[in-house]
Amino acid sequence: MNIKIENWKLFILSIFYVIFAVLSYRITREQFLHFFMIAGIVVALVGLFQILVYFFKKDYLKPNEFSFSFGVLYLLAGITIACKPEVIVNNYPLVVSGLVVLDCVLRLQYSMNLFRLDDRQWKLHLVLALIPLIAGMCLILIPMQEKVLHNYFSFLLIFDAIAIMYTVIYYKRIVRIYEKRGQEYIEEKEE
């Protein structure tokens, strides 16, 4: 996993969440059709790019590297969204909440990595992943009135965006620290 690329993906996702939370207050569901068609095209292009990058890297030598498969999934999801945006628009709080839940489950890995490194901040990162995960599952499973649903949905997106940005910034710093320690260890071994 290239941590720089993953950080950029998470950072862009958090910006999308904030923009989407604000836009969902100002734009009616029907006006989201064009937004989701464009978003679908962007997701498909990201998938296509990831597929192409796979053929230029040696990641296929790693047993748990699924960049090609994820690229295909992005491509298929993007095509589906671009061709059928009304399915997303009619259910966007549930669909986007599902993405938040998926994102939070994946971010649990960051907290577990920090736990394994004996970093003091692992509990905070665990909470920052669990709160939006539980809130997203509640949004998906519990029927809510339209206004409550909308406010809850916006809170969920903004909270998760903040959690993502904090995680990216913190994790980037931790990676640098451990890369430096690893380099120092290698230099000591060589002497």
Side-chain angles (χ1 to χ4, degrees), residues 3 10 32 43 69 89 102 130 134 143 145 149-150 163 176 186:
I3 196 71
L10 287 172
F32 274 128
V43 169
S69 296
V89 170
L102 178 62
L130 285 177
I134 293 167
Q145 294 176 338
L149 173 74
H150 192 72
R176 266 189 273 151
I186 290 171

Side-chain angles (χ1 to χ4, degrees), residues 120-132:
R120 294 181 319 224
Q121 294 280 326
W122 80 270
K123 290 178 187 174
L124 175 63
H125 289 275
L126 180 64
V127 168
L128 289 175
L130 285 177
I131 289 174

Side-chain angles (χ1 to χ4, degrees), residues 23-84:
L23 286 178
S24 67
Y25 269 110
R26 305 187 66 83
I27 297 175
T28 63
R29 286 184 181 196
E30 291 75 31
Q31 292 172 319
F32 274 128
L33 285 173
H34 296 295
F35 174 79
F36 278 107
M37 278 197 283
I38 293 168
I41 292 168
V42 169
V43 169
L45 290 174
V46 167
L48 188 59
F49 179 73
Q50 190 159 340
I51 291 168
L52 292 174
V53 167
Y54 168 80
F55 288 104
F56 292 104
K57 296 177 77 178
K58 300 286 186 214
D59 286 342
Y60 61 89
L61 298 174
K62 297 177 186 173
N64 291 326
E65 179 59 43
F66 297 105
S67 61
F68 178 81
S69 296
F70 283 129
V72 171
L73 284 174
Y74 288 150
L75 180 64
L76 295 175
I79 290 170
T80 303
I81 293 168
C83 293
K84 292 281 194 180

Side-chain angles (χ1 to χ4, degrees), residues 94 138-146 148-149:
L94 298 175
C138 288
L139 192 142
I140 292 167
L141 298 174
I142 299 171
M144 298 179 191
Q145 294 176 338
E146 188 71 29
V148 173
L149 173 74

Side-chain angles (χ1 to χ4, degrees), residues 148-177:
V148 173
L149 173 74
H150 192 72
N151 289 335
Y152 188 87
F153 175 70
S154 294
F155 167 78
L156 173 64
L157 291 182
I158 291 170
F159 183 86
D160 196 46
I162 292 167
I164 289 171
M165 286 184 202
Y166 179 75
T167 300
V168 166
I169 291 167
Y170 187 82
Y171 207 79
K172 183 177 178 181
R173 185 176 69 88
I174 288 298
V175 167
R176 266 189 273 151
I177 289 169

